[in-house]
Amino acid sequence: MNAIRIHRNGGAEEMQWEQVPKPVPGHGQALVRHTAIGVNFSDINVRRGGFYASILSDSDQPFPLILGNEAAGVVETVGKGVTDVAPGDRVAYAGMHGQFFEQSGAYCEYRAVPQDRLVHIPDAVSDEQAAAMLLKGSTASLIVNRLATPGPGDTVLVHAAASGVGSLLCQWAHHLGATVIGTAGSPEKAEIGRQNGCSHVVLYNDVDFSEAVRDLVPEGVSIVYDGVGAATFEKSVGLMAPFGKLVNYGNASGPVAPLNIQTLAMRSLSVARAGVTGHIGDAVALRRTASELVGLLAEGALVPRIDSRFALRDAVQAHQLAETARAAGSILLLP
């Protein structure tokens, strides 16, 4: 079969289109033929090395390495002991049993996946929607349900309001009755932010976003959802109302600098760093979250936006697009 592998950390050009052995499902595993693969910024972080390299030793990340954590497809065969899925079932998965940067391997045509990491895709959901939404939606579910739940009377600031997770967070907060302010890098993305439920969208390339948000909400925002990181975090802390909550869930502009917790004391602020692994760490949690997302999709409360589709062999171009921050929504690889 074909796969995208890297032999060392580095830029997008390190990704190679290579032939590798087709896996054979072991006990408790199903062989999934991928039909759509989600591109996530965590894939880019793994490819680069970056802050993950400071967490892992060389022996923890063996090369060559297949990237990717999220995909949808069809069960082709199953190993012994598999009872949850059968050949012909449409399924999706997000992550394996460890941290996302430890057990990647989705950028390929076939993958042997443990049955407890698979969720059934209902007829009303396409494979592309599943691959665009399961991981990003699970991240949004963690943030909204466990870390900072918005409601009527709250003002929520969502950075990168047209991004994959950002779009879902805007829609979800709006669905729960909050007033949503988004940030975006272009008028086209600002329009998408408004479609996602934003009452206001600040163009951060044209104005200082912190000044613009302060003009809109002089008393401060109740919640900040920040997937950008270094470029937005510190200013966002300054925009929070007393007892406000900030959730950082990504580092598209680089990791957040160490925080002096005393800076939170004057307004009794709370800061959290979201890590989705624990939220969907076992089969029950993963399938419960997937069911919630499907329900919200059926209601029309969440609508995953797909920005671009690339052939799997063109993963280099897909990563290059993601790194430019021009994409508005999810990027998919199609085997």
Side-chain angles (χ1 to χ4, degrees):
M1 71 167 187
N2 294 302
I4 294 291
R5 299 201 297 182
I6 60 171
H7 293 258
R8 61 183 179 182
N9 295 121
E13 69 280 357
E14 296 296 340
M15 294 190 290
Q16 303 295 319
W17 175 250
E18 299 177 348
Q19 285 197 329
V20 299
K22 183 178 178 180
V24 176
H27 189 277
Q29 294 183 328
L31 182 66
V32 178
R33 175 177 57 82
H34 289 156
T35 55
I37 301 162
V39 175
N40 295 283
F41 216 86
S42 60
D43 307 341
I44 293 171
N45 287 332
V46 171
R47 190 204 76 219
R48 291 173 174 173
F51 71 95
Y52 289 136
S54 67
I55 300 172
L56 300 170
S57 67
D58 291 341
S59 61
D60 291 324
Q61 191 179 36
F63 294 106
L65 178 71
I66 298 175
L67 297 172
N69 291 296
E70 175 183 36
V74 179
V75 175
E76 185 168 276
T77 60
V78 298
K80 292 182 179 180
V82 173
T83 58
D84 291 357
V85 297
D89 287 353
R90 296 172 58 236
V91 294
Y93 65 86
M96 293 294 111
H97 293 124
Q99 298 294 323
F100 280 87
F101 53 85
E102 293 177 316
Q103 299 183 31
S104 63
Y107 287 13
C108 56
E109 293 173 325
Y110 294 87
R111 190 176 187 187
V113 181
Q115 65 174 334
D116 64 349
R117 299 312 300 164
L118 294 171
V119 300
H120 288 273
I121 302 175
D123 292 341
V125 178
S126 71
D127 290 9
E128 290 192 0
Q129 285 178 316
M133 186 174 186
L134 184 55
L135 180 53
K136 296 173 183 67
S138 295
T139 301
S141 170
L142 162 65
I143 293 167
V144 168
N145 289 322
R146 291 176 176 252
L147 300 178
T149 304
D154 287 326
T155 301
V156 181
L157 172 62
V158 182
H159 288 299
S163 66
V165 177
S167 290
L168 297 175
L169 286 169
C170 290
Q171 294 172 28
W172 210 326
H174 175 73
H175 174 66
L176 293 175
T179 299
V180 184
I181 299 172
T183 65
S186 68
E188 293 77 16
K189 286 190 174 184
E191 177 55 32
I192 292 169
R194 285 185 281 269
Q195 293 170 9
N196 288 331
C198 292
S199 298
H200 306 278
V201 182
V202 175
L203 293 171
Y204 59 76
N205 285 326
D206 296 345
V207 298
D208 183 322
F209 80 83
S210 62
E211 293 181 4
V213 172
R214 194 171 288 111
D215 288 343
L216 290 168
V217 195
E219 67 276 17
V221 299
S222 314
I223 297 171
V224 179
Y225 295 145
D226 175 24
V228 177
T232 52
F233 182 86
E234 186 174 349
K235 285 185 175 181
S236 296
V237 171
L239 293 171
M240 296 163 68
F243 314 108
K245 297 179 180 180
L246 186 156
V247 181
N248 171 259
Y249 64 89
N251 45 269
S253 66
V256 173
L259 172 69
N260 179 357
I261 197 169
Q262 291 301 118
T263 62
L264 309 178
M266 292 291 290
R267 284 168 288 147
S268 298
L269 306 178
S270 301
V271 173
R273 178 52 162 99
V276 72
T277 303
H279 187 57
I280 54 173
D282 58 46
V284 172
L286 173 63
R287 291 167 185 172
R288 181 179 60 239
T289 300
S291 177
E292 174 191 38
L293 295 172
V294 168
L296 290 166
L297 181 63
E299 288 181 48
L302 296 185
V303 181
R305 178 183 175 85
I306 298 171
D307 178 273
S308 303
R309 299 166 178 84
F310 291 86
L312 174 59
R313 69 184 305 147
D314 295 327
V316 170
Q317 291 94 310
H319 273 221
Q320 289 171 337
L321 173 62
E323 289 179 295
T324 65
R326 292 199 308 268
S330 298
I331 299 172
L332 297 180
L333 300 174
L334 304 181

